[in-house]
Amino acid sequence: MTLTSLWRDRHARDMPERGVVEGHWDVLVIGAGITGLTTGLLLARAGKSVAVVEAREVGAGTTGGSTAKVSVLQGTQLSRLARRQSEAAVEQYVRANAEAQAWVDRYCEEHGVALQKRPAYTHATSASGERAARHELAVARRAGLPVTWVDTPELPFETRGAVLLPDQSQLDPMELLGALAADFRTHGGTLVEGARVRRVTGRGPITVTAETGTATAHTVVVATNMPILDRGGFFARASAERSYCLAFAGAEPTVAGMYLSADSPSRSLRDAPGPDGPLLLVGGNGHGTGRASSPQARIDDLAAWTRQHFPGAELTHTWSAQDYVTSHALPFVGPLVPGRSDLMVAGGYAKWGMTNGVAAALALSSRLLGGHTEWAAVLDSWSAAWLRGVPQAALLNAEVGVEMTRGWLSPLTRPGGRAPAEGRGEVRLDHVGLPTGVSTIDGVVRRVPAVCPHLGGVLRWNDAEHSWDCPLHGSRFDKDGALLEGPATCSLTGVGD
């Protein structure tokens, strides 16, 4: 099935025609999410010739599926960061996010993008959650945030208190992306949609090869969250995470803030303006991409939890999003490989891209224009901060090894048989002993190779989205094998229905 976010539904348009990639540019940006469009706009404003190339359409990736909280209080992110990095690094991270938030606030005001100011809360419902929230409170205070503790946040279920940070923001991310895209074009930028980039080669200039043509550029920025280029090995330093969000009409009581639980499974709450009154947005139940036995069960659980605590809530939208969590707990912004100032990357936002993505764009544009942003050093893609994440990176890659082995062994127990039931899919061995994904959708049995073209992981069926997901590094493919998101850059080769 297709899960469509509230934001994409509100701003629905026909799929763009496949754009042609051609010409020579000062800067070519790959990816039209919050990072790519903000970077492109900042550089175009400075007089650079810039093209932004998007595989699908503006907002098709993580940004368009975001809960769109523009907040510096980010659940327990600061205390997670403090366990791996120095106090100075935490302070710089807070400065980066605060500056990004201020930029978004100003931009929305200047360009007529609706923005709601809300307090942000990290709330607890258990003893362990309270300990985690109070730790977040202490770390946030040391980093200079004006946080306080409230014993009874106004929620329709029992809590053990919450961290409060006032005057944060929320918005419709597709409305913001639309304004950025229009502004970018006004300043002479070229936006190309429907053009998936396959390769980036050479230097001085760099050649960018897409499905629909070839262009050259002095500098290329890969703003695809997880880089589509394996050079640099970022896929080995981050884990892909999927999470879910549901929109409800008629939910009582309404929420007057942006909430995120310190407990697991996570629960995220915010409101969104609607034509017939505010909608309630409920998120959570995240998991490693391709590593949940039934994503649909997680969505059903989220819906049941909401109806329990918000009687009368009527489901209007269900969607998902994917983000990457790095081993060292910081985003990566800078050269793809050391010493290559002409090939830049940004990503690893740990589900906080509305601030981190803008911070990345501010850092990248400053760097490419010869400026200096003091806090940007903590986000650098090859800083010493990465070394503090080595133990976690080793654990991540050990888990990848386990998933690789499990994936190749599992089909041995399913060598054939009847077609899967409607809406289901499974991996079996084909006639030459290779893993093949078999699914039944709308009565049609489909077969696709079940080996990810990125690094050979065996794919798993996503029963909520009817997709094939890679448990190694998060590449995803639709029921027919077409690539949805990377780091893979090509679709599966069909083997017939």
Side-chain angles (χ1 to χ4, degrees), residues 315-329:
L315 182 64
T316 64
H317 295 79
T318 300
W319 71 95
S320 65
Q322 183 157 302
D323 212 335
Y324 290 82
V325 179
T326 63
S327 58
H328 73 317

Side-chain angles (χ1 to χ4, degrees), residues 18-23 28 53 192 194-199 207-216:
R18 289 163 62 87
V20 177
V21 177
E22 60 185 358
L28 189 147
V53 179
V192 182
R196 187 176 297 279
V197 172
R198 300 295 196 194
R199 293 186 303 278
T207 299
V208 177
T209 303
E211 295 172 325
T212 57
T214 300
T216 57

Side-chain angles (χ1 to χ4, degrees), residues 218-231:
H218 290 300
T219 302
V220 170
V221 175
V222 182
T224 56
N225 205 338
M226 174 54 64
I228 59 171
L229 308 176
D230 286 344
R231 286 164 281 170

Side-chain angles (χ1 to χ4, degrees), residues 401-420:
V402 169
E403 295 295 339
M404 173 75 85
T405 302
R406 179 184 300 166
W408 281 92
L409 290 178
S410 187
L412 296 177
T413 64
R414 296 188 298 270
R418 297 179 180 177

Side-chain angles (χ1 to χ4, degrees), residues 103-341:
W103 190 94
V104 171
D105 283 2
R106 288 194 304 271
Y107 189 87
C108 289
E109 181 179 358
E110 292 168 0
H111 293 82
V113 176
L115 183 82
Q116 300 90 46
K117 302 303 290 186
R118 296 286 189 272
Y121 297 87
T122 297
H123 67 276
T125 58
S126 68
S128 62
E130 182 180 353
R131 287 193 296 271
R134 288 190 179 276
H135 185 206
E136 185 74 10
L137 175 72
V139 174
R141 280 177 172 168
R142 289 198 298 270
L145 289 177
V147 289
T148 56
W149 182 264
V150 292
D151 291 320
T152 55
E154 296 180 344
L155 291 171
F157 48 85
E158 186 175 350
T159 70
R160 298 175 64 108
V163 184
L164 163 65
L165 180 63
D167 201 33
Q168 303 303 287
S169 307
Q170 62 181 30
L171 46 71
D172 175 337
M174 292 299 292
E175 184 179 359
L176 174 58
L177 291 184
L180 289 169
D183 200 7
F184 172 62
R185 287 181 168 125
T186 298
H187 283 84
T190 296
L191 176 59
V192 182
E193 299 176 272
R196 187 176 297 279
V197 172
R198 300 295 196 194
R199 293 186 303 278
V200 177
T201 56
R203 60 193 308 169
I206 297 175
T207 299
V208 177
T209 303
E211 295 172 325
T212 57
T214 300
T216 57
H218 290 300
T219 302
V220 170
V221 175
V222 182
T224 56
N225 205 338
M226 174 54 64
I228 59 171
L229 308 176
D230 286 344
R231 286 164 281 170
F234 291 93
F235 62 85
R237 295 186 273 175
S239 58
E241 301 282 336
R242 291 200 76 70
S243 55
Y244 303 94
C245 193
L246 283 63
F248 295 87
E252 293 291 344
T254 57
V255 296
M258 303 184 299
Y259 293 86
L260 183 59
S261 67
D263 301 272
S264 183
S266 62
R267 293 290 183 264
S268 168
L269 303 170
R270 62 158 283 193
D271 72 313
D276 301 314
L279 298 175
L280 172 68
L281 273 55
V282 181
N285 278 2
H287 60 85
T289 302
R291 300 185 187 186
S293 58
S294 174
Q296 183 61 50
R298 294 181 177 241
I299 292 173
D300 294 342
D301 176 70
L302 207 56
W305 179 90
T306 304
R307 294 187 178 106
Q308 176 187 354
H309 297 292
F310 296 88
E314 297 181 5
L315 182 64
T316 64
H317 295 79
T318 300
W319 71 95
S320 65
Q322 183 157 302
D323 212 335
Y324 290 82
V325 179
T326 63
S327 58
H328 73 317
L330 286 164
F332 49 82
V333 182
L336 177 71
V337 293
R340 285 290 304 265
S341 59

Side-chain angles (χ1 to χ4, degrees), residues 340-362:
R340 285 290 304 265
S341 59
D342 59 343
L343 187 52
M344 313 294 278
V345 295
Y349 303 141
K351 305 179 184 180
W352 293 99
M354 297 307 298
T355 48
N356 278 314
V358 172
L362 294 172

